[in-house]
Amino acid sequence: MKIDFKKEKENIVIYLSGELGNFEAKEIMHEAEAILAIYKHEDVVLDLSQLTFMDSSGIAVIMKIFKNTKDSRDFTVRNTPSMAMKVFSTTGILKFVKFA
Amino acid sequence: MKNIINSMSMKFESRSVNEAFARQSVAIFATQLDPNLDEINDIKTAVSEAVTNSTVHAYPENIGYITINAKIFSDNSIEITIKDKGIGINDIEKACTPMFTTGGDERSGMGFTIMDSFMDKLSIKSSQSGTTVTLMKKISPRCTGGK
């Protein structure tokens, strides 16, 4: 699992690549929070195009970013692979987190 | 009547780093059923959820062993059991409730919901001496072009 970030216009885009399970999720949460602490005002985009596997740990990662951003800025998840979308669809997360 | 045509078993320590090893090993074993990409991902995800439960909840204070047995049957189905000798699940019904977790905000509480919806059958047996989760999935035969 790799986490990268890039400033794109008014957004900070976080890219996840590889497999995201419980083992990987802990570090990803810490890193994502560190990125959000540096870029305090930008809207946040999570790009999942390079994700090769994801279980319910991905939901916890998204909830963490959602809680961190919901009062102050926009948060969008984009380029979700179909296998990850299937995990999200099983849960209620699509109702309150924005997927593009 | 269905017969067992192949089986495997593996045993590993309940370290979080082994979760990827476990789900990938079972997925590779399952490929002999010629599943499509969606089916293999369903199996991989369900196994990952079960193994994560054992590493996070069964052995919260120590490292124990997790055993996986997988059997392939003549009706093109696979049965996977994930077994630990941990502390057990107090209330299985509660554990299966979506969003219920004892794992704090690092876990989503969706493990059993995902196992149940991604596989054809899910059964859970738990006592104070451990938990056994059995997952079953039938792989649909593929149409081979031109035949």
Side-chain angles (χ1 to χ4, degrees):
Chain A
M1 170 103 276
K2 219 175 98 193
I3 180 165
D4 273 320
F5 59 96
K6 205 169 23 177
K7 182 113 195 294
E8 289 175 14
K9 292 179 192 161
E10 290 87 52
N11 299 329
I12 182 73
V13 186
I14 301 174
Y15 294 87
L16 299 186
S17 53
E19 298 211 346
L20 175 54
N22 172 56
F23 178 70
E24 296 79 15
K26 288 172 197 166
E27 203 190 316
I28 293 301
M29 285 186 199
H30 287 303
E31 301 229 359
E33 291 205 310
I35 295 165
L36 297 181
I38 298 167
Y39 297 91
K40 286 189 172 72
H41 306 292
E42 288 81 355
D43 284 338
V44 181
V45 177
L46 182 67
D47 189 300
L48 301 180
S49 55
Q50 299 303 309
L51 208 60
T52 53
F53 169 81
M54 192 199 82
D55 65 14
S56 69
S57 310
I59 301 166
V61 169
I62 286 182
M63 285 311 295
K64 195 93 171 179
I65 300 175
F66 175 74
K67 282 180 190 162
N68 191 308
T69 54
K70 72 176 160 68
D71 294 329
S72 51
R73 42 184 163 163
D74 221 43
F75 171 45
T76 312
V77 183
R78 76 176 185 201
N79 298 330
T80 310
S82 64
M83 53 83 195
M85 195 48 101
K86 190 170 174 185
V87 173
F88 293 134
S89 308
T90 313
T91 73
I93 198 169
L94 298 176
K95 285 181 208 145
F96 45 96
V97 175
K98 195 156 61 170
F99 283 76
Chain B
M1 192 176 134
K2 63 178 190 181
N3 303 309
I4 300 171
I5 55 173
N6 197 3
S7 68
M8 72 92 167
S9 84
M10 60 192 284
K11 185 177 173 183
F12 53 94
E13 291 188 354
S14 64
R15 298 179 193 280
S16 191
V17 68
N18 286 333
E19 291 153 6
F21 161 68
R23 64 180 176 248
Q24 284 162 6
S25 303
V26 176
I28 292 168
F29 182 70
T31 55
Q32 55 195 288
L33 287 164
D34 196 24
N36 62 36
L37 210 55
D38 288 342
E39 289 165 331
I40 205 80
N41 263 316
D42 289 350
I43 292 170
K44 206 171 160 184
T45 310
V47 169
S48 192
E49 299 295 349
V51 171
T52 299
N53 275 351
S54 292
T55 60
V56 175
H57 301 292
Y59 303 108
E61 307 285 335
N62 59 324
I63 296 290
Y65 281 104
I66 300 170
T67 308
I68 297 182
N69 290 293
K71 290 177 198 151
I72 286 173
F73 294 95
S74 52
D75 68 347
N76 226 40
S77 65
I78 183 165
E79 185 191 88
I80 306 150
T81 60
I82 299 97
K83 192 173 179 176
D84 65 62
K85 293 188 171 172
I87 58 171
I89 304 167
N90 250 337
D91 185 339
I92 292 180
E93 205 182 323
K94 213 169 179 183
C96 291
T97 308
M99 318 290 266
F100 175 83
T101 182
T102 54
D105 70 351
E106 293 202 339
R107 304 294 319 146
S108 68
M110 294 305 295
F112 282 123
T113 308
I114 286 172
M115 284 180 240
D116 190 38
S117 67
F118 283 32
M119 303 296 281
D120 296 333
K121 260 189 214 158
L122 160 70
S123 80
I124 308 154
K125 283 195 188 109
S126 193
S127 72
Q128 284 169 348
S129 52
T131 300
T132 302
V133 170
T134 305
L135 306 165
M136 210 281 294
K137 193 175 184 72
K138 196 164 179 174
I139 302 303
S140 46
R142 284 223 240 176
C143 299
T144 43
K147 279 188 182 173

